[in-house]
Amino acid sequence: MRKNKVDIITLGCSKNLVDSERLMRQFIANGYTVEHDPHTINGEIVVVNTCGFIGDAQEESINMILELGERKRKGRIGKLFVMGCLSERFLNDLTSELPEVDHFYGKFNWNELITDLGKSYYKELATERILTTPRHYAYVKIGEGCNRSCSYCSIPLITGPYQSRPMEELEHEVRHLVEQGVKEFQLIAQDLTYYGLDLYKRMALPELVERISDIPGVEWIRLHYGYPAHFPYELLRVMRECDNVCKYMDIALQHISDPMLRLMRRHITKAETYELIARMREEVPGIHLRTTLMVGHPGETEQDFEELLRFVEEIRFERMGAFAYSHEEGTYAYLHYKDEILPEVKQERLDRLMRVQEGISADLNASKIGQTLRVIVDREEEDFYVGRTEFDSPEVDPEMLITKESRLEIGRFYDVEVTDAQAFELYGKRV
């Protein structure tokens, strides 16, 4: 166990990662040495930032806590703290069932961890963080919470209502990150498109994106987690006119059949969904759409699923993920529907859906062979440099493997010709 060392382990999404990075900044301001997701966990203090969205994520968080509890019992680590979505959602249960944890903090009161240790929480550093990503890109959380009422989703139970961050605060954060060398910004929230309704009484995401795009040094802006109903179409103009706003939109559609959209409480119809996609592709030529779909929601018939398959085959999403429904305690679906679809049926539908998408991804990637694309280099491996195009977000989208014919710098942009492609990878050489 290393004295004065803090190990922070982040589970779940990039929104959790931002919280961990802010916590790291506070620890360092108080004189600690901090490591994030370290190879060797041996800190005097260990903090686990948990995910509580669905069953698999909850299980991963619990297993990590139990493993660290055993290390604590053997004297390999010191104090063990838990924060984040899991403890926000199940605080009372966790406190009674996991006595090896010194203290639990929720999603929003993690700053108390600092003061409970007898240290100072520096409010003037509230928007500063220690980046755990490569220094050329960062996640920027523009809001927290969700006002939607989707049947299956536990996020509103965890985060509460939507809270937008002021534009001036976000601009200040982006300027500070640019000074640190950040060039690429992933704008994130549980729901980007709701931004501003609580604070400005209007959908202000287009204005925010435009203001950030005007900041010198901002090379790429990418948008994650939009909501399809009442989409702010002015955003498409911004995306089309601002060269540094990536032609990329991450928008979770979940399903396409009208019966399922009603059961899921998505507040959009099949016809409106088709209209939204058509308008996006018409107004922003070349846009790459990422979506997430769900199978196995209560009430999903084989006919509903076949309709979803046909939808994916017809639309040919450039990027797509999918997951099986999880019956989450406290959600509308948990209270009003029975989880009657067998796990093996859910898995079979998920596998079929992803096989279809794999073929689509392979075709779309193959169509890029011979094109020259602007690529940012993320890292160097033994045989390749690894980078991404404007259509690819870190960790979830395809990467570009660039041959080592010339020396490339991490974090710089290069023109790369696509020479080969697979379903989830591109191969290229510097032009």
Side-chain angles (χ1 to χ4, degrees), residues 21-239:
E21 290 175 342
R22 288 175 175 164
L23 178 61
M24 291 171 66
R25 181 67 183 92
Q26 294 291 331
F27 270 119
I28 286 177
N30 279 282
Y32 288 94
T33 298
V34 183
E35 291 189 18
H36 183 262
D37 288 344
H39 293 296
T40 302
I41 303 172
N42 59 359
E44 178 185 2
I45 296 170
V46 177
V47 183
V48 186
N49 192 353
T50 57
C51 180
F53 178 43
I54 58 176
D56 289 347
Q58 295 164 20
E59 183 178 358
E60 180 187 22
S61 294
I62 293 294
N63 288 339
M64 176 59 71
I65 295 168
L66 291 173
E67 178 186 336
L68 292 171
E70 182 63 17
R71 294 192 187 197
K72 179 185 173 186
R73 188 184 67 80
K74 294 178 178 179
R76 295 177 182 172
I77 64 174
K79 292 184 179 296
L80 175 59
F81 299 107
V82 174
M83 60 181 277
C85 294
L86 186 74
S87 50
E88 181 74 32
R89 189 175 176 193
F90 301 113
L91 179 62
N92 292 334
D93 292 339
L94 293 173
T95 301
S96 60
E97 294 175 10
L98 296 170
E100 56 266 61
V101 176
D102 290 282
H103 199 84
F104 289 91
Y105 299 89
K107 176 79 175 158
F108 304 104
N109 68 333
W110 53 262
N111 57 304
E112 296 174 10
L113 193 163
I114 300 291
T115 54
D116 287 348
L117 289 168
K119 304 299 180 181
S120 298
Y121 178 80
Y122 296 95
K123 291 183 179 180
E124 65 272 21
L125 303 178
T127 62
E128 293 189 17
R129 6 179 202 134
I130 302 300
L131 292 181
T132 59
T133 55
R135 66 187 302 269
H136 55 274
Y137 73 80
Y139 296 96
V140 177
K141 184 159 53 172
I142 70 169
E144 190 77 81
C146 186
N147 283 42
R148 312 294 184 178
S149 56
C150 303
S151 63
Y152 51 85
C153 188
S154 61
I155 287 175
L157 303 175
I158 298 169
T159 62
Y162 200 97
Q163 298 180 58
S164 302
R165 294 177 60 197
M167 290 191 198
E168 294 76 16
E169 180 181 294
L170 289 165
E171 288 180 286
H172 173 78
E173 179 174 343
V174 169
R175 290 181 189 278
H176 181 71
L177 289 168
V178 167
E179 291 172 359
Q180 293 179 263
V182 177
K183 304 173 183 178
E184 176 186 358
F185 297 84
Q186 326 291 338
L187 300 193
I188 58 173
Q190 279 82 12
D191 175 5
L192 282 181
T193 45
Y194 195 91
Y195 177 81
L197 280 172
D198 58 319
L199 198 58
Y200 305 112
K201 311 307 176 190
R202 57 187 170 83
M203 301 181 87
L205 181 63
E207 179 183 346
L208 173 68
V209 174
E210 201 160 26
R211 287 171 64 164
I212 292 176
S213 76
D214 287 337
I215 296 174
V218 174
E219 297 276 356
W220 275 354
I221 302 169
R222 194 176 288 104
L223 306 176
H224 278 282
Y225 322 120
Y227 193 84
H230 310 294
F231 186 85
Y233 283 108
E234 175 68 8
L235 183 63
L236 301 181
R237 178 196 62 78
V238 175
M239 190 176 292

Side-chain angles (χ1 to χ4, degrees), residues 251-309:
I251 185 163
L253 298 175
Q254 306 301 357
H255 219 283
I256 193 57
S257 86
D258 281 323
M260 289 312 304
L261 291 171
R262 285 193 294 271
L263 286 172
M264 289 179 168
R265 309 177 85 204
R266 294 289 287 170
H267 307 293
I268 195 170
T269 65
K270 174 181 179 177
E272 290 167 341
T273 302
Y274 272 92
E275 180 184 356
L276 171 66
I277 294 169
R279 189 164 172 182
M280 284 179 163
R281 286 179 167 168
E282 178 184 354
E283 293 196 25
V284 187
I287 190 173
H288 279 44
L289 299 179
R290 160 168 279 282
T291 195
T292 306
L293 301 174
M294 179 190 295
V295 299
H297 184 282
E300 185 187 54
T301 64
E302 190 62 31
Q303 180 180 352
D304 292 320
F305 175 68
E306 292 291 341
E307 188 173 351
L308 182 63
L309 274 181

Side-chain angles (χ1 to χ4, degrees), residues 341-349:
I341 300 177
L342 297 175
E344 53 266 33
V345 174
K346 294 179 185 178
Q347 188 61 49
E348 189 267 342
R349 290 177 181 175

